Structures are given as C-alpha cells and as structure tokens.
C-alpha cells in the first residue's frame, strides 16, 4: 500500500466547518473522491474535526456501499444487478467480468487497474444489461461488448 | 454576461418576454438526448453534428434530457418538423445534415418502425401519441442546463401566481384539489402531508426532495433531474412556501452523476437569478436548497432512513409515529416529497388543481410516469393518465414483447412490490387496483417478463436483493431474508427437501 499524504487529508477535511456531525458523509465522500477509498489514517483526523467518535465513523462508512476501506483500482467497473438487467442477462455479464478480470465482486485486480463493484441499480434500465466504468455508462451488454469496453481501458 | 438577480415579479415577466421575443420557433433545431443516451454514444453523435455543421449558425443543436423512447438510443429530434430518428452513429450524421436538414428528405432506416410501417414524425409514433405529459412537459425539449429555456416554457411562472395573491393555505388547497398522491410509492395525498406540516407554527421546518431512486427498474426521477431540474426546484420553492420552510434538501443518489451535476448547476442558476435566497422576487420569502448525495444504500429511500443519512448517521429507519411532518430532520417538522411529485406542482399551481384532477381515476388523480424495462420493445419513459390498462402501456405504447414471445408477468413496485400475470393485463391501473391485484404502484418501474423468465429464479433474485440491502436493524428482516433466500436457493439449485415451505407433500 502506498503512503497516504496526511496533509492532503487535512486540507480536504478543513474545507468543512468543524464540529458538524451532519457533514460526516460529505467529508467521507470528498476523501474517497480524492483517494478512491477512505484511508484508515483519515478516520482519526475526521473524528477530531467533526467531533464524531471513530467508532461511529466506522459505523457509517461500513454501512454505505459507496465507501471502501481499501484502495481501489484506477477504473471502477460497476455492472448493474437491477431487476431489468437481471431479466436481460446481467448474471452472465457479471460472470464474464469476474472471469476476465480474475477478481471476485468487491475486489481489485493485482495490477490495481480494475475494481469490480456490482451495484443495485444504475437507473439505466432501458438499456439493460448495463454497467458503468468510473463515470461512463455502457448499455445492451453482452460478453463481446464487455470485452471491447475493457480493452479501451487496458 | 453578467446575470442580473430578479428583484420583482415584474422583472421576471420582462425577462420571459425578452426570451420569447428573441426566440425563433421556425429555426431548425436538432434536439439530441445527451443524458440517458450517453450509454449508447450520444456524445460522439453530438460532436459529429457540431463538426459537420461547422460555423453554420442557422441550425441549432440543443442538448436535451430524456426524450422517452430510450430503446432507440441515441435519439435525435428535428424541429420544427418534428422528425424523430433513433440508433444514430456518428457516420449517419453527414447524411442527416445533407438529406434531412438541407433537403427535407426523410431517411427511412433511422426512423421508428412498427409492424413494417415507418413513422418519421413524432406526432404519428404510437409510443408518443397515447401519452399525456405533465411531469415530462419539458423533458427532452429543453436544455436542462439552461435556465432561460425553462423560463421560456412557463418556468417559475407559478411563483408569480403565488406571490401575487395565494396564501400558503390557498396553495395547499389547490394541491389537495388536484388529488395528487405521493409518487414515491406509498401514494399518500400530498396536500394532506403539506397541511400536517403547515399546522406546526413558528418552528424551523424543512422540505426534502427524495431523489434516492433505489427501486431497481425505476429511472423516472433520474430522467426528471437530468432533463428538467428547475421544475423540481420550483416545486420545492412552492412546497416550502406552503408549509413555511426556509431550507430544503435534494437527496440524490451518487450513482446518478449527471443528475447530481445538473441539479447542482440548476440550484446555482436559481440563486443567481433570485429564485432562491433571501427575499425571492421581492416577496419577502426566503428559501434555499442544499444537495446531499446518497452513499449507496437502498434503504435510504425510506423517509426516516433518509433523514438519518442527511444527519450524517447510518441510514436506518425508525418506527413512526412521530411522522416526519411532526418530527423529522433534526426533530423539526419536515416534508419529504418525491421528485416526480414535485415536478407536478408548478403545473398544478399554474393550471389549477381542478385541471389536474381531470386526469386519472376516482381515487388516483393525474398522470403517472412509468419506466418500461425488461422484455419489452420500447423500453423508456412513458407518462399516461392514471387508469390506463397494462395492455395499453405494454403493448400499444411499449410495442409488445421482442421476438413476439408470450407475455408472462410485469413486475411493479420494486423489491417490495409484486408481479402481475397476464390475467391482469386489462385491469385499469391505479393505486388501489394494483394493490388488490397483489403489487404496488411503487415509484412506477415496470419490468416486463416473457415466457423464458423463470419466476422462481426471480423470487430468489429479489430475496437476494432484500437480503443484501437489509439495514440489519430488525431481526425479522436481517435474519428472515437470509433464511428465505437459503430456502429459495435450494429450490433454484435442485436441492429443496422435505419440510421446506412449498415443498410438494
């Protein structure tokens, strides 16, 4: 794991007014936006700034699917497992992704390039089955299309 | 350009006149969906149009939100003729320009076709013909990042009506008269909800827009925020005025980056123009909105869980009462309305509650947006008067099942809803009839299933979903869904045994 720049974490946290427990989720989101995950080092700093106990912070960050506690890949691949995608074959898309990337759901490839993260619904049901790679949407997927899409990120 | 803050209703009317004056409706406009259609390369098609047109300013390219017929993505409409093209690639663009735009010639292969009939014009396409657009009145027509586009189409005009003489009670009366019920799923009368929150005097109050559209298969809220974000902001302002709130939130899923981007921009524009902030349009009313991004928890669509999430806690629901209208965010009276509900409000105020109540059935007034997905030809968004039959929606508008397969069932209402089989195809649907039939209206997702969909496997899928998304607070859900999933998984994997529920004796 690479060293995390504590000053950088501090800078992000300081953008938010102190002692406001309601800002916990936005703070965590900003930290994750920067680092791709919530570095354990940041929890103590956030706790001090927001006056929320570390215990509670862990409670929140493990509750929400968005937050990761380990570094994620450069590209986060999010296949949708919503109902519309399910009836149009998302299970096979997810299976294919797992075999191509050689990772299980929630894990990152050894070269730190891809993280596979199945999501409940992307709201792009009209083009099922769908997935996102970082902020880009892809629809009407099949094995061949998935392979082509992955190629563009390799 | 310096944006002037509007200080009075008169200034808003003046601005609207100016905007209408400089608008040439006879100009050729190419409307292209650059939101939902992005998944099928809409941005590349847009770039191709820009490149092909070069410096030609006689033709305008309008980037819009969802135009409805998502199955044909990426879609393009050409005004003023009202031509509709789908499935475009950047390679098609030169031909569209040279043939259709310059020479008024239709390109058949890009047109919508059904039963071997080609439909070049929007007005003839069966998908669009049967619809009644109130919520989606601007969606797909305007550029969602342009406040001017919204104002030109009667945007923020409801505020004029309110500030010129409607008391908060009058607003609530109009909304009550309209008969609109919460579009998030439960169907609670919106007017009544506002009335409850109104009666708590002299307290800080909040209004929240619930845009945590978690039901898989529903995407109407996403489309409204991406296609017409100002309508939701206007709805929030009206709601806040009615209940007496000075602060609002839009709680939107982080999985919807375009919706987050456009609604954030729209709030900024509304603030600059004076629709938000202190002394809105000189009325003395103060109101502002904060965006809160969800963090990926299905349960946060439930209102008490949503409130917990805004307060920075784990999104776990609590028992009601007290209802949020009495004790919600930070313990203050809070109204939570769904995106679609709020988008209806400006229309109800400008046209009147009675006009809205003309649509729909006895107990369920107005229109409803349905998200058609699954095994149906015309996947996309449809808005129809409540009371249409499933057959009309799935077959007449939706175009039926691909490959002419047999219809098996339609799943409605998300994981807490149900599946309606073919025997219900001719039931006029409203909140009550769907409930009687064994599903719920929910947020309006309709996932169509054909003869090859296995219903037992679908039951397993939903239990898997519910088990994964259980917040873990209460035992029946935390452990119950797990045990049920184990049982159904035994059935789907051929391992069911004597003693399992439903095992044949």
């Amino acid at each position: 794991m690479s060293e995390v720049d504590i000053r950088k974490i501090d800078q992000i946290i300081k953008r938010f007014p102190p002692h406001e427990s309601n800002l916990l989720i936005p703070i965590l989101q900003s930290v994750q936006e920067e680092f791709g995950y919530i570095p354990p080092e940041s929890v103590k700093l956030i706790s001090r700034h927001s006056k929320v106990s570390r215990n509670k912070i862990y409670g929140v960050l493990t509750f929400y699917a968005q937050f990761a506690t380990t570094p994620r890949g450069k590209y986060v691949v999010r296949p949708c497992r919503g109902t519309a995608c399910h009836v149009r074959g998302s299970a096979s898309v997810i299976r294919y992704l797992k075999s191509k990337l050689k990772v299980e759901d929630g894990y990152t490839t050894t070269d730190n390039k891809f993280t596979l993260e199945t999501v409940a619904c992307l709201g792009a049901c009209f083009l099922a089955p769908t997935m996102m790679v970082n902020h880009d949407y892809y629809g009407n997927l099949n094995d061949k299309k998935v392979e082509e899409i992955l190629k563009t990120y390799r | 350009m310096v944006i002037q803050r509007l200080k009075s209703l008169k200034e808003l009317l003046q601005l609207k006149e100016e905007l209408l004056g400089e608008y040439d409706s006879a100009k050729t406009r190419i409307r292209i969906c650059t939101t939902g259609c992005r998944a099928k390369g809409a941005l590349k098609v847009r770039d191709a149009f820009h490149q092909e047109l070069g410096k030609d300013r006689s033709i305008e390219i309008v980037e819009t939100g969802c135009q409805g017929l998502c199955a044909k993505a990426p879609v393009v409409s050409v005004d003023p003729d009202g031509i509709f093209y789908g499935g475009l690639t950047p390679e098609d663009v030169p031909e569209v320009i040279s043939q259709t735009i310059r020479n008024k010639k239709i390109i058949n292969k890009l047109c919508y076709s059904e039963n071997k009939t080609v439909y070049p014009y929007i007005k003839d396409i069966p998908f669009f013909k049967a619809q009644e657009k109130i919520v989606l009145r601007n969606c797909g027509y305007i550029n969602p990042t342009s406040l001017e586009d919204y104002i030109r189409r009667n945007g923020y005009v409801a505020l004029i009506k309110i500030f010129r003489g409607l008391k908060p009670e009058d607003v609530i009366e109009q909304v009550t008269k309209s008969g609109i019920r919460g579009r998030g799923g439960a169907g609670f009368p919106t007017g009544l909800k506002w009335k409850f929150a109104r009666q708590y005097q002299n307290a800080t109050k909040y209004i929240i827009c619930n845009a945590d559209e978690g039901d898989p298969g529903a995407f109407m809220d996403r489309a409204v925020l991406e296609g017409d974000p100002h309508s939701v902001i206007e709805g929030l302002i009206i709601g806040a005025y009615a209940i007496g709130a000075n602060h609002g939130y839009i709680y939107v899923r982080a999985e919807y980056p375009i919706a987050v981007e456009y609604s954030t921009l729209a709030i900024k524009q509304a603030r600059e123009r004076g629709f938000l902030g202190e002394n809105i349009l000189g009325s003395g009313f103060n109101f502002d909105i904060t965006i809160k991004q969800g963090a990926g928890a299905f349960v946060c669509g439930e209102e008490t869980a949503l409130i917990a999430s805004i307060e920075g806690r784990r999104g776990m629901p609590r028992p009601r009462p007290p209802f949020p209208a009495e004790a919600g965010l930070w313990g203050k009276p809070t109204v939570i309305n769904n995106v679609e509900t709020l988008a209806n409000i400006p229309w109800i105020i400008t046209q009147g509650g009675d006009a809205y109540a003309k649509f729909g059935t006895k107990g369920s007034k107005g229109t409803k947006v349905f998200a058609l997905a699954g095994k149906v030809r015309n996947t996309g968004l449809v808005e129809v008067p409540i009371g249409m039959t499933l057959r009309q929606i799935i077959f007449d508008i939706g175009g039926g099942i691909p490959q002419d397969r047999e219809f098996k069932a339609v799943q409605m209402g998300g994981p807490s809803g149900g599946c309606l089989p073919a025997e219900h195809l001719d039931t006029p649907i409203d909140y009550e009839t769907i409930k009687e039939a064994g599903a719920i209206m929910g947020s309006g997702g309709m996932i169509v299933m054909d003869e090859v969909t296995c219903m037992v496997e679908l039951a397993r899928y939903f239990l898997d979903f519910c088990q994964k998304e259980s917040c873990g607070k209460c035992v029946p859900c935390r452990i119950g869904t797990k045990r049920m999933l184990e049982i159904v998984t035994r059935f789907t994997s051929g391992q069911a045994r004597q003693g399992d529920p439903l095992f044949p004796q």
Side-chain angles (χ1 to χ4, degrees):
Chain A
M1 205 186 293
S2 58
E3 277 290 301
V4 172
D5 189 348
I6 299 281
R7 275 172 314 175
K8 192 119 206 190
I9 299 175
D10 217 38
Q11 274 172 12
I12 295 168
I13 297 173
K14 292 264 163 65
R15 291 208 303 257
F16 295 87
H19 306 186
E20 297 242 15
S21 61
N22 65 314
L23 295 177
L24 178 59
I25 293 170
I27 292 175
L28 290 171
Q29 283 169 331
S30 306
V31 171
Q32 170 136 334
E33 179 74 34
E34 176 67 31
F35 298 97
Y37 74 114
I38 310 290
E41 296 89 330
S42 65
V43 174
K44 203 170 162 185
L45 298 172
I46 296 172
S47 172
R48 210 178 290 152
H49 186 77
S50 60
K51 286 275 186 287
V52 178
S53 74
R54 275 188 269 173
N55 188 346
K56 283 208 170 129
I57 295 177
Y58 271 107
V60 168
L61 78 88
T62 52
F63 181 86
Y64 294 99
Q66 188 189 10
F67 300 124
T69 47
T70 49
R72 294 204 284 182
K74 190 173 171 198
Y75 303 110
V76 181
V77 183
R78 293 192 182 87
C80 176
R81 61 174 170 90
T83 321
C85 290
H86 180 76
V87 304
R88 290 203 349 194
S90 63
S92 117
V93 168
I94 293 168
R95 235 184 349 256
Y96 187 77
L97 278 167
K98 283 180 182 170
S99 76
K100 271 278 143 185
L101 297 174
K102 298 192 184 70
V103 285
E104 280 303 305
D105 190 18
Y107 288 87
T108 303
T109 53
T110 45
D111 60 359
N112 287 326
K113 205 126 191 222
F114 295 100
T115 298
L116 184 63
E117 198 182 83
T118 313
V119 293
C121 181
L122 289 174
C125 323
F126 42 90
L127 295 171
T130 63
M131 70 173 187
M132 275 178 99
V133 180
N134 290 353
H135 282 333
D136 293 324
Y137 290 93
Y138 298 95
N140 295 134
L141 299 175
N142 51 39
D143 292 359
K144 204 175 140 227
K145 272 193 194 158
V146 171
E147 190 176 358
E148 279 166 19
I149 293 161
L150 287 181
K151 247 186 219 157
T152 61
Y153 290 95
R154 282 206 190 266
Chain B
M1 193 180 80
V2 184
I3 293 162
Q4 291 286 327
R5 195 181 154 89
L6 303 172
K7 291 186 207 67
S8 67
L9 301 172
K10 208 175 131 201
E11 284 181 22
L12 169 58
L13 283 173
Q14 263 171 4
L15 174 68
K16 189 184 168 190
E17 287 307 310
E18 270 170 41
L19 290 170
L20 283 173
E22 67 197 31
Y23 189 81
D24 177 8
S25 58
K27 187 173 178 179
T28 303
R29 287 189 173 79
I30 302 168
R31 283 186 283 123
I32 169 160
C33 166
T34 52
T35 55
C37 287
R38 270 189 211 186
K40 296 283 279 178
L43 297 182
K44 284 191 183 122
V45 174
R46 172 202 63 189
D47 293 344
F49 271 111
H50 277 295
Q51 203 181 355
E52 194 66 22
L53 286 172
K55 289 197 169 62
D56 186 348
R57 290 276 170 270
S58 66
I59 293 149
E60 193 181 337
I61 296 164
V62 184
E63 291 187 37
T64 73
C66 181
Q67 301 189 5
L69 193 39
C70 310
K72 303 291 168 210
V75 303
V76 156
S77 300
V78 183
D79 288 338
D81 301 337
I83 297 163
F84 181 86
Y85 285 155
L88 270 83
T89 61
E91 290 73 42
D92 293 321
V93 169
E95 200 185 341
V96 173
I97 299 283
S98 64
Q99 299 294 311
T100 308
I101 307 288
R102 310 253 187 243
N103 286 312
K104 303 269 174 204
K105 269 192 203 143
I106 300 292
I107 306 166
N108 277 345
K109 66 170 188 187
L110 297 176
C111 291
Y112 177 86
S113 64
E114 196 176 306
N115 297 330
K116 291 181 183 138
T117 313
V118 176
Y119 297 92
Y121 299 100
I122 297 169
K123 63 176 172 47
D124 303 324
I125 299 176
F127 178 86
F128 294 108
K129 253 169 110 173
Q131 296 197 47
E132 191 66 56
K133 293 192 174 187
I134 295 178
V135 175
L136 302 175
R137 59 193 179 276
N138 298 321
C139 230
Y141 296 99
I142 65 170
N143 178 344
T145 65
S146 162
L147 172 59
E148 287 71 27
D149 272 15
Y150 182 66
I151 292 177
R152 208 176 278 126
R153 285 176 74 100
N154 259 341
Y156 291 111
V157 164
L159 298 187
I160 296 179
K161 203 163 165 184
I162 285 176
F163 294 143
R164 279 212 174 138
L166 285 187
K167 290 199 292 288
E169 290 77 12
D170 302 332
V171 173
I172 294 174
E173 197 196 315
Q174 285 303 317
V175 174
T176 307
K177 246 191 205 167
S178 77
I180 187 171
R181 298 168 63 171
R183 298 290 189 240
F188 192 80
T190 306
L192 202 55
K193 200 186 248 187
W194 287 10
K195 202 173 150 197
F196 284 149
R198 172 85 207 155
Q199 56 186 2
Y200 298 98
Q201 291 296 332
N202 303 323
T204 309
K205 297 179 198 174
Y206 297 100
I207 185 164
I208 300 171
C209 167
N210 184 349
D212 190 52
E213 186 171 53
D215 281 356
F219 47 90
M220 60 287 287
D221 295 349
R222 174 189 162 178
V224 172
L225 280 180
E226 288 180 357
D228 192 16
H230 282 287
S231 68
V232 178
I233 293 173
E234 191 177 357
L236 274 172
I237 300 170
I238 296 166
Y241 174 78
I243 67 161
N246 299 115
H247 205 92
Y249 290 88
I250 297 179
Y251 186 90
V252 54
R253 308 177 72 200
E255 289 91 336
Y256 288 179
I258 309 172
V260 173
E261 184 192 334
Y262 285 4
S263 42
T264 308
L265 176 70
I267 289 173
K268 182 173 165 272
Q269 291 168 337
R271 236 178 245 146
E272 283 169 352
R273 274 293 186 194
F275 296 115
L276 290 175
E278 304 271 306
N279 192 15
I280 295 168
L281 301 175
S283 65
F285 178 63
N286 309 327
F287 180 66
D288 211 339
I289 301 172
T290 308
I291 295 245
K292 285 272 181 178
Q293 280 191 51
F298 171 70
V299 68
C300 286
E302 193 280 335
E303 55 184 15
T304 59
L306 187 152
I307 287 171
S309 181
I310 292 184
E311 290 175 354
R313 296 182 286 124
R314 288 164 71 95
M316 298 200 286
R318 62 158 176 82
R320 299 170 297 182
F323 286 91
E326 185 187 347
L329 190 61
W330 320 116
K332 308 288 185 207
T334 303
V335 156
I336 299 169
N337 288 133
N338 161 269
V339 172
E340 189 186 333
T341 312
L342 289 167
N344 271 303
I345 299 293
W347 192 96
I348 290 171
I349 296 300
T350 40
Q351 311 288 320
D354 291 330
Y356 191 80
K358 282 198 185 115
F359 300 104
T361 62
K362 193 163 168 277
S364 313
K365 299 295 183 196
T367 60
K368 176 80 194 86
V369 184
F370 291 104
L372 274 180
K375 306 285 187 69
V376 59
R377 281 200 181 93
N378 298 334
T379 54
L381 281 186
V382 300
E383 182 174 0
V384 294
I386 298 180
M388 260 197 184
T389 65
L390 285 171
R391 191 185 299 282
Q392 284 171 303
I393 296 174
I394 295 166
F395 288 88
D396 300 348
I397 297 176
I401 319 284
Q403 301 165 29
D404 285 321
R405 284 202 178 129
E406 193 95 11
F407 169 89
K408 185 179 263 178
V410 57
Q411 204 281 335
M412 289 190 68
S416 33
C419 295
L420 301 180
E423 66 195 75
H424 291 293
L425 272 178
D426 293 307
T427 312
I429 44 172
D430 65 19
Y431 286 91
E432 276 69 34
T433 53
I434 297 183
K435 213 169 167 184
E436 274 163 36
I440 55 168
M441 180 78 90
S443 49
M446 277 190 180
I447 299 143
V448 181
M449 285 159 287
D450 66 10
E451 62 200 43
V452 303
T453 311
C454 171
M455 300 312 282
V456 185
E457 161 54 27
L458 194 78
R460 189 208 58 80
Y461 162 80
F462 273 116
L463 282 168
D464 180 57
F465 185 93
C466 293
Q467 194 264 318
K468 281 188 176 129
E469 295 295 338
S470 171
C471 85
K473 185 174 178 177
C474 312
V475 179
C477 171
R478 183 179 69 232
I479 299 176
T481 52
K482 176 93 180 151
R483 291 290 100 87
M484 286 194 284
L485 174 62
E486 284 166 4
I487 295 166
V488 177
T489 306
R490 284 205 289 275
F491 275 94
T492 55
S493 55
Q495 309 283 315
R497 56 195 189 209
Q498 200 89 48
D500 275 341
L502 300 175
F503 192 85
Q505 294 301 313

